[in-house]
Amino acid sequence: MSRAPFPWLTLGVVAAAAALSLSRPELFEYLRGAVERGEAWRLLTGQLVHWTPRMAVIDLAAVALLGTWLERVARRRTLVLALALALPLIALTVHLLSPTLTRYRGSSGLAAALFLALAARLWIEGRGGARWLALLAAGGFVLKVVLELALGRQLFAGALPAGIAVTPAVHLAGAAAGLSAAVLVQGSRWEKGR
């Protein structure tokens, strides 16, 4: 019986995000003007820092739990591809598709990617109850995004600082990356051998 792999990748991402959030997050947040002046790293690091401790705990707990499950139980390759697709897709969504957004922080898009990647894995590999669970999870995610759009605020991370708006498009970009990763890994030879 083989042992499940240690979730080193997930814990590394969470540790890096926690360290950046606890340091000087303003140096790493997405700032449109700074990115346009050449500080392109902020497109990625803005996804690792948070506005409030509550937001950091909720986002990073979700990334830790979902990433660990993908890494240990499902497929590490799905996790790697979900993150590899989500980071640039979220960055492009923030910078190109949200022209009025001037500042951004948060890992919720990465959590959305892992959530939908896991739901897709459940659908692909499951039968009966697992498939119903996957559909319920995906439906719950869609409902969450619709409510965030309607209410203009995040549902779980608490109040954001004044002048900072919720960005549901980031959650949709993450979800698209997660679904794509699960489908691409399933359809490729890359999955062989885990």
Side-chain angles (χ1 to χ4, degrees):
M1 181 172 166
S2 67
R3 293 177 56 196
F6 185 78
W8 61 268
L9 179 60
T10 298
L11 297 181
V13 169
V14 170
L20 293 177
S21 289
L22 291 171
S23 64
R24 294 184 54 201
E26 67 278 0
L27 298 177
F28 303 102
E29 74 183 69
Y30 169 82
L31 288 171
R32 182 171 297 279
V35 169
E36 291 170 352
R37 288 188 303 273
E39 297 179 18
W41 71 83
R42 290 176 180 268
L43 289 163
L44 301 179
T45 60
Q47 298 174 60
L48 301 176
V49 294
H50 299 86
W51 293 111
T52 66
R54 177 179 173 175
M55 180 187 196
V57 167
I58 289 171
D59 281 359
L60 295 180
V63 170
L65 290 171
L66 296 164
T68 296
W69 192 351
L70 278 168
E71 220 169 335
R72 293 191 64 143
V73 177
R75 298 283 189 260
R76 181 173 278 159
R77 291 177 178 101
T78 303
L79 171 76
V80 170
L81 189 55
L83 292 174
L85 292 173
L87 282 163
L89 186 56
I90 291 166
L92 291 173
T93 298
V94 166
H95 194 67
L96 299 177
L97 300 180
S98 306
T100 61
L101 188 65
T102 59
R103 299 172 75 193
Y104 178 80
R105 294 184 191 180
S107 301
S108 58
L110 299 179
L114 300 182
F115 185 80
L116 269 291
L118 189 54
R121 295 301 309 181
L122 281 173
W123 176 263
I124 291 166
E125 295 175 355
R127 293 192 175 103
R131 285 191 153 191
W132 281 107
L133 181 60
L135 282 177
L136 183 63
F141 175 81
V142 169
L143 179 61
K144 174 191 176 295
V145 171
V146 167
L147 285 172
E148 287 175 338
L149 285 167
L151 299 174
R153 63 177 180 84
Q154 293 185 33
L155 294 183
F156 303 116
L160 296 173
I164 303 300
V166 67
T167 314
V170 166
H171 302 151
L172 293 174
L179 287 171
S180 298
V183 170
L184 288 170
V185 168
Q186 177 65 22
S188 73
R189 293 183 182 190
W190 194 30
E191 182 173 291
K192 304 297 187 265
R194 216 172 147 95

